[in-house]
Amino acid sequence: YVIMGDHRCKQPVPSVNVDYRAVGRMAVQHLSSLGHRYIGFLGASMQFVYQKEILEGFRAALKERGLSDDKPRLPGRGQGLIANASLWKDPKDKSLMEWLGNARPKLTALFMPEFEWAAVVYEILRKARMEIPKEISLLGCRLGSVAAGYQNFTCIDLPLAEVGHYSASLLHRIVSEPDAASREIRLAPSLIEGRSTCFSGGPENLSAN
């Protein structure tokens, strides 16, 4: 057998998955390379393994760069610059804008690791007359098999289709080489650059994105 995706096994098992900690790290690396020091994280329920791993990687990268998520926040809405989907469950809920407006120092970039959330947040901010990326840069995630360039977002590409390919290869190896040690394969994400991010302070050089 080979496990595809997340699991909660405490013993080593043959498995293939995306390196989700690298996803969180890549988000901070890219945005901080553009000069952003106050980067928000808008996550989901945090009940799944991949969600927790992305956040772990995000926080680790913040710490490595001397960037903190320990900033003022709305009571009950998240930890520091970390927030969850309760900010915008209701389309009429203005909590997302309140969170962004009350954050001190002001957020200049926002990372949304769930699929398609960047487009939803973009629409909320657009209706609030916020200019993207001039006022805030947005970084999302997309499936490797989906051409998600409809909004020309800067996205982290998740190679989920490759998980299946590598799983089949690993299973074949286990069958053909019974004595081979169990392996855990983690596939690296990649960055797709678009126009939803720019240097902190304004889009003077969008071609760099």
Side-chain angles (χ1 to χ4, degrees):
Y1 66 89
V2 171
I3 294 177
M4 297 171 57
D6 295 339
H7 65 80
R8 298 180 186 273
C9 300
K10 298 190 183 212
Q11 299 297 327
V13 293
S15 64
V16 181
N17 202 0
V18 175
D19 186 347
Y20 285 109
R21 289 184 179 86
V23 173
R25 287 179 176 276
M26 182 174 285
V28 174
Q29 289 167 355
H30 178 66
L31 293 170
S32 64
S33 74
L34 296 175
H36 295 283
R37 295 190 57 79
Y38 304 111
I39 304 168
F41 179 103
L42 184 57
S45 63
M46 294 301 153
Q47 63 179 317
F48 298 112
V49 174
Y50 81 91
Q51 295 170 333
K52 295 176 181 178
E53 290 184 348
I54 292 175
L55 183 55
E56 287 171 6
F58 182 86
R59 280 182 160 147
L62 287 179
K63 185 175 180 180
E64 289 168 4
R65 285 159 179 72
L67 309 176
S68 175
D69 64 3
D70 184 22
K71 297 292 184 291
R73 60 185 174 87
L74 293 176
R77 290 294 187 177
Q79 183 171 351
L81 303 183
I82 312 299
N84 59 42
S86 65
L87 287 172
W88 52 282
K89 277 184 177 179
D90 184 343
K92 297 179 181 179
D93 190 355
K94 297 181 180 179
S95 298
L96 174 62
M97 298 308 302
E98 290 175 2
W99 176 57
L100 294 175
N102 285 294
R104 294 293 182 273
K106 181 180 178 181
L107 295 181
T108 62
L110 182 59
F111 172 52
M112 297 140 291
E114 302 293 332
F115 306 136
E116 301 181 358
W117 279 24
V120 174
V121 172
Y122 173 86
E123 287 301 318
I124 293 174
L125 301 185
R126 185 184 63 82
K127 290 177 182 178
R129 301 185 183 277
M130 286 188 70
E131 294 186 60
I132 299 162
K134 183 177 180 180
E135 293 183 64
I136 187 168
S137 287
L138 299 181
L139 175 61
C141 283
R142 74 172 212 183
L143 292 172
S145 59
V146 176
Y150 56 94
Q151 290 284 7
N152 198 20
F153 273 110
T154 302
C155 292
I156 294 177
D157 197 45
L158 306 183
L160 294 186
E162 292 300 308
V163 170
H165 171 78
Y166 278 89
S167 296
S169 297
L170 180 56
L171 184 60
H172 181 270
R173 180 183 174 188
I174 291 172
V175 171
S176 58
E177 302 176 39
D179 296 331
S182 297
R183 295 185 58 195
E184 291 191 9
I185 299 175
R186 295 294 175 264
L187 304 180
S190 58
L191 183 73
I192 306 298
E193 299 186 18
R195 288 189 172 270
S196 65
T197 56
C198 71
F199 288 97
S200 178
E204 292 81 57
N205 188 10
L206 282 173
S207 61
N209 300 304

